[in-house]
Amino acid sequence: MSTPQQAFDELKKLSKELTLVRSIDAVLGWERETYMPPKGEALRADQSAYLSGLHHRLFTQPRFGDLLAEVEASELMNDPDVAVNVREWRHAYDRAVKVPTELVEETTHTAVMAHSAWVEARKKIDFSVFQPHLAKLIDLTRRKAEYIGYEENIYDALLDEYEPGETTANVARLFRNLRAGLVPLVQAIAESPVRPRTEVVHREYAVDRQRVFAEAASAALGFDYLGGRLDTVTHPFASRFGPGDVRITTRWNPRFFNEAFFGVLHESGHGLYEQNLPAEHFGTPLGESVSLGIHESQSRLWENFVGRGRAFWRHFFPRARQIFPRVLDDVTMDEFYFAVNAVEPSFIRVEADEVTYNLHIMLRFEIEQAIIAGELDVADIPGAWNEMFEGFFGIKVPDDSQGCLQDVHWSFAGFGYFSTYALGNLYAAQFYARAKEDVPDLEERIALGDFAPLLHWLSEHIYSQGMRYRSRQLVERVTGQAPSHEPLMAYLHAKFGELYQL
Ligand code: ZN
């Protein structure tokens, strides 16, 4: 017989072990994208599959469930720290044991084939190459959702994986309101006679200088290069190994300033969150980030609300002129600020500006719900996509590589993932508005290159909390308001109304 305290200590030990397995896999994953030679692919796949299997076996052992039940029935639950860890362990454990191992393995196997098919379909611009694989993944995903269970909508079970506790109904309501505000704003911007000089960001920006500038900017925000590094990859990401080691990545484009610079700020935002999680809780949920939506709120906050802000460029534009002499000689700060904030309806989500970005997400959210609910046939996805796109953006999708084949997510059965991008934008607007209220000279400090007040505010209210609150609860506690489209719309109207003289 053990005491509840012993059971809790054993859970913590197991949780630490699980976290270390994930962390080792993260090192391998980062290395695969950065330095691994091509012939290492098969070995790396075996190494990662071994670690995933190990993680799954450790986690789903009945012992984990027994220990959880013992602590749950005890008075230890009165300790709020214990209660948070147990709540999150239970959530993850239930999701892991409810889905049969055969279904997990079949999905993994199908996703490997589906990914190659997606790459080929995109290259050939032929949806039919991907279609049977996608149909199979959708079927497997539906079965997974049924095993996990849901109250109202089958899509809830999928959303819950990326944004725990959030529901389809909530997200649908938020998106409906947001869309009602965005569509006329996009329209008004399109009709504005005022246009930015976008060519100034498409000049020759030497990559070695871009690196110096981007690293200096991210260090100024507070990204700690003694506890992290920046490397070059094809598809940028941020990865946390654990306290003291957070990796960020980017890709460099010598003829387009925005790509790497704002990419680095974006990944630095993810990195700042990870670097400022409470290290003493590493290995338990209290030492982890809340959700993908909250994570994205941090990348977006630093990339857009700070990095694409006027205050930021007051400080950094004179430095940009020093680092890129001649390139920016004939450009004013205002012109540069406008150019990095140009709004242009475009087909590709990852290239979208702050105003149109969320429309790309809403379209995916609608289509995913319809396919998971069985209301839309897989064969009809391209048609549905193109029709909806024209309705949202007023432009016709030229082909499926610029339409429904552009994103990787469906090829790994990542249904439910996309919403977190738009939720992140909404949360970011709410957090930033609140930070400005709490720190009245926030933007004056930013204009002086001093980002410490903002970083401290975010650390105190968000980073240091780990998973103490679910996303909706965290937003409410920090901002005094439930997740809402209003702060984002107010921000967009103020910023772009001024730029485009609406
Ligand atoms: Zn991100």
Side-chain angles (χ1 to χ4, degrees):
M1 261 318 267
S2 63
T3 66
Q5 185 60 52
Q6 285 167 330
F8 182 70
D9 290 342
E10 192 178 333
L11 277 171
K12 259 170 78 169
K13 201 166 151 261
L14 275 170
S15 179
K16 177 76 177 280
E17 201 176 337
L18 288 162
T19 307
L20 288 175
V21 172
R22 277 264 161 81
S23 162
I24 295 164
D25 198 25
V27 178
L28 294 180
W30 167 85
E31 205 273 345
R32 182 182 55 226
E33 302 300 316
T34 48
Y35 296 108
M36 190 186 78
K39 287 182 180 171
E41 191 67 63
L43 173 65
R44 185 55 45 87
D46 281 351
Q47 292 171 324
S48 279
Y50 171 77
L51 290 176
S52 308
L54 176 62
H55 188 277
H56 187 73
R57 280 198 306 280
L58 283 171
F59 194 23
T60 56
Q61 55 180 313
R63 177 87 185 145
F64 202 96
D66 295 344
L67 292 166
L68 264 180
E70 192 179 341
V71 178
E72 280 167 339
S74 77
E75 290 190 351
L76 275 183
M77 295 296 283
N78 295 329
D79 177 335
D81 283 11
V82 171
V84 169
N85 283 328
V86 169
R87 179 193 75 207
E88 292 305 326
W89 283 329
R90 168 60 71 191
H91 178 252
Y93 179 76
D94 282 353
R95 282 191 72 100
V97 294
K98 275 181 182 169
V99 185
T101 313
E102 302 82 63
L103 184 60
V104 175
E105 283 168 0
E106 197 183 345
T107 307
T108 309
H109 182 71
T110 308
V112 172
M113 315 280 283
H115 184 79
S116 317
W118 169 73
V119 171
E120 193 192 332
R122 206 158 82 128
K123 208 165 102 197
K124 291 185 175 161
I125 314 182
D126 182 357
F127 182 75
S128 71
V129 175
F130 184 42
Q131 189 183 317
H133 299 271
L134 182 57
K136 193 162 176 210
L137 282 178
I138 290 165
D139 177 52
L140 292 166
T141 302
R142 270 204 214 106
R143 281 163 56 195
K144 181 179 85 171
E146 293 297 347
Y147 278 115
I148 290 167
Y150 51 87
E151 276 176 25
E152 246 177 56
N153 189 324
I154 183 169
Y155 195 75
D156 290 345
L158 306 178
L159 262 184
D160 186 69
E161 181 166 352
Y162 304 104
E163 202 64 13
E166 203 43 280
T167 66
T168 313
N170 280 338
V171 175
R173 192 167 47 243
L174 280 170
F175 284 7
R176 221 175 11 251
N177 291 333
L178 186 57
R179 198 172 108 202
L182 282 178
V183 171
L185 179 61
V186 172
Q187 185 72 26
I189 290 172
E191 286 164 5
S192 165
V194 187
R195 309 311 306 172
R197 281 178 72 194
T198 48
E199 59 82 21
V200 305
V201 291
H202 290 282
R203 294 177 176 181
E204 207 67 52
Y205 288 90
V207 166
D208 55 337
R209 282 160 185 268
Q210 282 195 51
R211 177 187 276 279
V212 169
F213 190 47
E215 282 192 347
S218 83
L221 302 183
F223 186 79
D224 177 7
Y225 279 93
L226 294 176
R229 37 178 298 138
L230 169 66
D231 289 275
T232 304
V233 293
T234 316
H235 301 288
F237 59 93
S239 182
R240 180 200 196 211
F241 301 162
D245 201 347
V246 173
R247 307 302 175 94
I248 57 173
T249 61
T250 197
R251 58 173 166 227
W252 307 97
N253 183 340
R255 301 239 0 126
F256 186 31
F257 173 80
N258 294 7
E259 190 166 340
F261 187 78
F262 292 107
V264 169
L265 296 192
H266 181 96
E267 301 307 338
S268 298
H270 285 303
L272 286 167
Y273 189 2
E274 296 289 351
Q275 283 187 333
N276 291 287
L277 285 167
E280 69 276 20
H281 291 302
F282 177 65
T284 67
L286 272 176
E288 299 287 322
S289 56
V290 177
S291 67
L292 286 187
I294 297 294
H295 229 301
E296 195 68 5
S297 78
Q298 295 312 300
S299 56
R300 289 282 169 175
L301 189 146
W302 288 103
E303 174 196 358
N304 290 333
F305 292 76
V306 176
R308 282 190 164 87
R310 194 185 282 281
F312 180 93
W313 288 105
R314 264 200 205 115
H315 176 73
F316 275 106
F317 187 68
R319 278 150 192 83
R321 282 185 112 165
Q322 284 167 358
I323 291 179
F324 305 105
R326 289 181 302 282
V327 181
L328 292 171
D329 280 359
D330 63 332
V331 183
T332 66
M333 192 214 90
D334 282 341
E335 286 173 322
F336 193 78
Y337 166 65
F338 197 2
V340 300
N341 282 297
V343 175
E344 199 70 65
S346 62
F347 301 107
I348 306 294
R349 173 184 62 85
V350 297
E351 294 168 7
D353 55 77
E354 277 184 272
V355 180
T356 57
Y357 186 88
N358 293 305
L359 293 171
H360 289 270
I361 300 306
M362 289 172 206
L363 180 148
R364 287 154 177 79
F365 177 69
E366 297 286 325
I367 288 188
E368 282 191 358
Q369 278 185 83
I371 21 183
I372 297 298
E375 292 158 3
L376 178 65
D377 276 350
V378 179
D380 297 330
I381 291 175
W385 180 293
N386 297 347
E387 196 186 317
M388 208 179 288
F389 193 92
E390 203 178 336
F392 282 13
F393 295 87
I395 47 177
K396 261 194 198 323
V397 177
D399 63 60
D400 291 341
S401 73
Q402 297 181 71
C404 64
L405 284 174
Q406 66 182 273
D407 295 302
V408 69
H409 303 62
W410 290 347
S411 78
F412 63 78
F415 303 98
Y417 191 125
F418 284 121
S419 311
T420 68
Y421 293 126
L423 290 173
N425 288 323
L426 295 173
Y427 303 155
Q430 290 181 265
F431 290 143
Y432 193 68
R434 183 67 204 202
K436 281 209 298 188
E437 279 174 38
D438 288 353
V439 187
D441 65 343
L442 189 79
E443 294 198 331
E444 285 80 3
R445 302 285 285 274
I446 289 175
L448 297 169
D450 180 7
F451 300 90
L454 180 58
L455 184 59
H456 287 154
W457 188 92
L458 292 167
S459 292
E460 183 191 338
H461 292 95
I462 300 168
Y463 306 161
S464 64
Q465 302 298 319
M467 291 185 98
R468 189 169 300 277
Y469 308 107
R470 290 279 174 86
S471 51
R472 175 165 286 267
Q473 203 188 357
L474 179 72
V475 170
E476 277 180 16
R477 284 188 63 97
V478 175
T479 69
Q481 186 188 27
S484 158
H485 66 292
E486 283 164 3
L488 179 63
M489 284 314 304
Y491 158 83
L492 294 174
H493 273 292
K495 177 172 177 177
F496 293 93
E498 190 216 306
L499 281 170
Y500 283 91
Q501 296 172 24
L502 303 177

